[in-house]
Amino acid sequence: MLTLMGVFFFLNIPLFMANFIDPRCFWRINLNEIQDEYLGLTCAFILAAVQKPIEKDYFNKTLNFLKTTKNHKYALALVFSMDEINRNPDLLPNMSLIIRYTLGRCDGKTGIPTPYLLHKKKQSPIPNYFCNEESMCSFLLTGPNWEVSLSFWNFLDSFLSPRILQLTYGPFHSTFSDDEQYPYLYQMAPKDTSLALAMVSFIHYFNWNWIGLLIPDDDQGNQFLLELKKQSGNKKICFAFVKMISVDDILLEQKTEMYYQQIVMSSSNVIIIYEETINFIDLIFRMWEPPVLRRIWITTKQWNFPTSKRDITHGTFYGSLTFLPHRGGISGFKNFVQTWFHLRSKDLYLVMPEWKYFKYESLASNCKMLKSNSSNASFDWLMEQKFDMAFSESSHNIYNAVYVVAHALHEMNLQQVDNQAVDNGKGASSHCLKVNSFLRKIHFTNPVGDKVIMKQRVIMQEDYDIFHFENLSQHLGIKVKLGKFSPYFSHGRNFHLYVDMLEVATGSRKMPSSVCSAECSPGFRRLWKEGMAACCFVCRPCPENEISNETNMDQCVNCPEYQYANTEQNKCIKKGVTFLSYEDPLGMVLALMAFCFSAFTAVVLCVFVKHHDTPIVKANNRILSYILLLSLMSCFLCSFFFIGHPNRATCVLQQITFGIVFTVAVSTVLAKTVTVVLAFKVTDPGRRLRHFLVSGTPNYIIPICSLFQCVLCAIWLAVSPPFVDIDEHSQHGHIIIVCNKGSVTAFYCVLGYLACLALGSFIVAFLAKNLPDTFNEAKFLTFSMLVFFSVWVTFLPVYHSTKGKVMVAVEIFSILASSAGMLGCIFAPKIYIILMRPERNSTQNIKESNSTQKIKEKSNS
């Protein structure tokens, strides 16, 4: 235990010392390391098959040579897969796979560039191998960097083709996908288009649409960017920034600081870091030691963000989530490592840093127990947990490459009778051509269960697992599977999230929001301004009487004809039907006024009838007075046609009754005025005008004028009669039922005709207002017409400035006011004399007044 603690202490010394190093110095110290990580350490192996068994410890030399390097994982995968095949009696029987040579920088040291090792002609890089006696084909396994693999190919193509077939175990690169240009080179990593779809599905699941992207500035990064844009276009996902980082950028401190500021200042809460870019970003954060960055880091490689432990605030998770291809477990690998390193199961994490994680895929309770007990539990209890010893992607490609070689040789051996002949030193070339024909079309299922298809340019739809890595200590951690993506899931749902594991691993089911613009709630619509991304918009309220009942609507919709938008403008409400009713306060007041005026007119008529023999009644043509009182009463009563639920009959009666009864009233006033003029102007008994007065000709004015108005009304009814109409706009939230006048021209013709009659009455009455007589009513007729004009001249602008039932009320009030004006001006003085001054309404008093008047006139003369 003390030894183990000592190991932990020495491993922590570099991190402890880094706290006392200036950031610029720290940068220079780590630059070479990061460059190597970014470029990928070159490690190549030449494999061959021999027709004899190999010694048990044959691979020890290779493993010991690479034991202390970062490429140790590649050597372990290679040796394990070759040993597994050599032990399999059903695959390549009577043959063994061997490692002829290890090339490149597998030891982590800078050496002579690999192609030049093979280019020396004075000595063979592989003694007794590339000689004329050798007739077997060899296989060059290169990677993980594609540029170095290309350098190997260029050399092989010039000097050794086709004596060696090349297989690359690095990431897929489109450069090598041309069969004609690279006929003897095979990429073990298939072209995968589902990674971009997997990330987009994950992003869409959490409704994120504002994403940052950090990718390498190379062909692989460009291909990923194209796929990501293609998949995100349908999901309406935008990029807050896209930074393509090249190797040259790593060497410039100013560039790195610019990238650092871009990440820190970005409004995006979700950032994708693709492939080797993660090493560069990790160095940036270790150099500048930023404050807690609340971000979700989506990566394609295992990475623990330096401040991830402090990022769980307010129940929201921030940290790194890693997308890794779904791979089955390699059975026997754990025992192989234990046997070779002579380690116990609990000490396996000492071999490689990647194996320090306890893996949990479905048992949330165990994961929760581990996290809660990690600080207090004994070391032995922790070591009893299951370590994750999964292959890296490059190691998995090496595993498949070895099996591809074995299957190709096996298939060729089954069909080849004699493949050992050598013709003038061309045996290896001939053998490679034959092996190549089998390699090109080989396909099989490896022991893990993965399908391997060697036909080039095949697009594979990979499954992906989403993991969260968390460090429990410097050398121990947990690896939790949070979800899975598969393009083969049914019902179009390619992504499945394990919610319980998410809560256990991150401490919360809540993920932060990452959107350019907040959602437009119902009642608002999205509006894009020039230069804004598709995901960035501003929210504007819907126009009047339009609604939006969903979030993020681009257009508001009009409410149906009989509905209106509520105050929040998120739903339509059925409009209430209203009209000027008797229950309405305004309707109630107007109806009461009409009733009172009608009753008062009836009282006046009764008084006149009762006192029909008195001088004041006789002097003013009582028949005309009766007709005028009845017409005024009808004017008051016609107001009731305007109140209540409109129907076709009331709409017609409103305007026709109003026009005719008012014509009768005004024409009666005109007849009375003409009678007064004739009575005082025509004093010569022999003149013809006296005959008109005596015969009652002025009384014919009423039917003649009324008949003309009736003709106008008949034309109105024939052309465009009034009808029931609805007013949807005058009062918000209500449909007002009103009577439409039909022909507005006919309505104003009726009013104009009434105005002409009133004007004529006013002129005649004005001329007769100074005629001497005891009961001369010319002045009262003049005032009544003046009131009539005032009311209806005021009516016109007020009527056109109102809508709905207020417009109806204005018309009723004008009818009542003009009728009351005529009633008051003409009959109020007479009622006063009849009821209050009856002595003035006698024949004797009139005679005495006339005698007194004559005496005064004589004395004045």
Side-chain angles (χ1 to χ4, degrees), residues 604-605 608-609 611-631 664-665 667-680 691-703 773-778 781 826-827 830 834 841:
V604 172
L605 179 60
F608 266 59
V609 171
H611 299 85
H612 66 282
D613 290 330
T614 58
I616 197 169
V617 175
K618 291 180 179 180
N620 295 287
N621 196 333
R622 57 187 174 190
I623 300 300
L624 292 179
S625 297
Y626 294 157
I627 295 173
L628 180 58
L629 286 172
L630 289 173
S631 63
V664 172
S667 61
T668 303
V669 173
L670 178 60
K672 289 176 71 69
T673 309
V674 172
T675 300
V676 172
V677 172
L678 291 177
F680 288 97
H691 173 73
F692 289 116
L693 178 62
V694 174
S695 62
T697 302
N699 295 339
Y700 291 102
I701 295 175
I702 299 173
D773 187 45
T774 304
F775 300 113
N776 183 10
E777 62 176 352
L781 295 175
I826 296 174
F827 293 99
K830 296 178 177 60
I834 293 172
N841 191 21

Side-chain angles (χ1 to χ4, degrees), residues 90-101:
D90 298 324
L91 186 62
L92 281 183
N94 302 321
M95 296 188 72
S96 300
L97 294 178
I98 62 171
I99 302 175
R100 285 290 190 184
Y101 209 85

Side-chain angles (χ1 to χ4, degrees), residues 307-319:
T307 58
S308 59
K309 278 193 172 183
R310 294 175 287 167
D311 286 344
I312 301 178
T313 57
H314 306 292
T316 303
F317 167 72
Y318 296 93

Side-chain angles (χ1 to χ4, degrees), residues 111-118:
I112 302 174
T114 301
Y116 290 97
L117 288 173
L118 298 176

Side-chain angles (χ1 to χ4, degrees), residues 132 246 431 581 586 781 821:
N132 293 337
S246 65
H431 188 259
S581 64
L586 185 58
L781 295 175

Side-chain angles (χ1 to χ4, degrees), residues 26-136:
F26 179 77
W27 175 264
R28 290 190 292 271
I29 291 174
N30 288 273
L31 185 58
N32 290 334
E33 177 185 350
I34 297 301
Q35 281 184 273
D36 287 341
E37 290 289 340
Y38 190 84
L39 293 172
L41 289 175
T42 303
C43 192
F45 308 92
I46 294 182
L47 312 181
V50 294
Q51 294 181 337
K52 62 179 180 179
I54 60 174
E55 298 177 1
K56 185 177 181 180
D57 58 348
Y58 172 80
F59 297 111
N60 287 2
K61 182 178 179 181
T62 300
L63 291 178
N64 287 327
F65 176 64
L66 302 176
K67 185 175 182 179
T68 59
T69 69
K70 290 186 177 181
N71 288 318
H72 190 205
K73 55 187 175 183
Y74 302 144
L76 281 174
L78 178 65
V79 170
F80 169 75
S81 55
M82 295 178 70
D83 182 67
E84 190 176 59
I85 292 172
N86 290 340
R87 292 174 181 271
N88 187 351
D90 298 324
L91 186 62
L92 281 183
N94 302 321
M95 296 188 72
S96 300
L97 294 178
I98 62 171
I99 302 175
R100 285 290 190 184
Y101 209 85
T102 302
L103 305 173
R105 299 172 61 191
C106 287
D107 58 352
K109 300 178 182 179
T110 303
I112 302 174
T114 301
Y116 290 97
L117 288 173
L118 298 176
H119 189 52
K120 293 182 178 180
K121 296 183 179 180
K122 293 183 179 180
Q123 62 178 13
S124 172
I126 307 175
N128 300 322
Y129 187 66
F130 289 114
C131 58
N132 293 337
E133 291 78 14
E134 182 59 59
S135 61
M136 298 291 289

Side-chain angles (χ1 to χ4, degrees), residues 164-444:
I164 296 180
L165 300 181
Q166 184 176 351
L167 297 92
T168 67
Y169 61 87
F172 178 87
H173 201 280
S174 59
T175 302
F176 298 137
S177 60
D178 188 347
D179 288 346
E180 295 182 0
Q181 187 175 359
Y182 304 99
Y184 308 118
L185 185 146
Y186 297 88
Q187 298 189 85
M188 296 312 304
K191 182 179 181 180
D192 174 34
T193 59
S194 61
L195 175 60
L197 178 60
M199 288 188 174
V200 169
S201 300
F202 181 79
I203 291 169
H204 184 67
Y205 180 88
F206 291 104
N207 295 319
W208 296 329
N209 65 12
W210 194 234
I211 310 300
L213 182 60
L214 299 167
I215 56 177
D217 189 8
D218 55 19
D219 182 78
Q220 189 179 4
N222 285 317
Q223 289 294 329
F224 177 72
L225 178 60
L226 291 175
E227 289 292 336
L228 199 62
K229 286 184 176 180
K230 176 183 176 182
Q231 298 295 341
S232 61
N234 299 330
K235 305 292 185 181
K236 296 182 179 179
I237 297 173
C238 304
F239 296 101
F241 63 87
V242 176
K243 290 298 177 184
M244 304 188 71
I245 302 174
S246 65
V247 179
D248 295 334
D249 294 338
I250 301 177
L251 305 176
L252 299 175
E253 187 175 339
Q254 294 179 347
K255 280 273 189 178
T256 58
E257 186 172 3
M258 180 185 68
Y259 292 143
Y260 169 77
Q261 293 296 333
Q262 178 78 60
I263 297 171
V264 172
M265 300 303 294
S266 173
S267 59
S268 173
N269 286 328
V270 177
I271 297 177
I272 297 175
I273 307 178
Y274 181 65
E275 289 298 332
E276 302 297 338
T277 314
I278 197 169
N279 301 315
F280 175 57
I281 301 302
D282 185 66
L283 178 60
I284 289 179
F285 288 138
R286 282 194 288 160
M287 176 180 178
W288 271 279
E289 296 184 0
V292 176
L293 290 181
R294 295 183 174 90
R295 301 283 191 275
I296 294 290
W297 309 92
I298 299 178
T299 68
T300 56
K301 287 193 173 184
Q302 173 186 330
W303 183 50
N304 286 285
F305 182 62
T307 58
S308 59
K309 278 193 172 183
R310 294 175 287 167
D311 286 344
I312 301 178
T313 57
H314 306 292
T316 303
F317 167 72
Y318 296 93
S320 58
L321 301 172
T322 304
F323 281 71
L324 297 177
H326 178 74
R327 302 297 183 204
I330 309 292
S331 64
F333 182 63
K334 179 179 179 181
N335 293 333
F336 172 79
V337 175
Q338 284 183 253
T339 302
W340 194 86
F341 283 98
H342 306 291
L343 293 174
R344 296 173 297 171
S345 177
K346 66 180 181 180
D347 298 327
L348 287 173
Y349 73 101
L350 297 174
V351 178
M352 293 178 60
E354 292 89 341
W355 295 349
K356 73 174 184 178
Y357 292 96
F358 303 116
K359 185 177 181 180
Y360 291 93
E361 294 190 4
S362 58
L363 299 177
S365 58
N366 289 355
C367 180
K368 187 181 297 185
M369 183 183 300
L370 177 62
K371 293 184 70 174
S372 60
N373 294 335
S374 60
S375 58
N376 301 321
S378 65
F379 184 78
D380 290 335
W381 183 88
L382 289 175
M383 293 302 103
E384 292 175 1
Q385 306 305 310
K386 181 181 178 181
F387 281 103
D388 177 46
M389 297 180 62
F391 273 9
S392 66
E393 190 62 17
S394 295
S395 297
H396 192 85
N397 291 336
I398 292 175
Y399 182 79
N400 285 335
V402 176
Y403 267 91
V404 163
V405 171
H407 276 276
L409 292 174
H410 184 78
E411 290 293 329
M412 188 184 68
N413 290 340
L414 293 178
Q415 297 184 19
Q416 183 175 338
V417 177
D418 185 7
N419 61 347
Q420 301 300 320
V422 179
D423 185 11
N424 297 326
K426 296 182 179 180
S429 299
S430 176
H431 188 259
C432 279
L433 289 174
K434 294 176 182 178
V435 175
N436 187 60
S437 64
F438 285 92
L439 258 178
R440 188 173 299 278
K441 58 184 179 181
I442 198 73
H443 60 88
F444 61 92

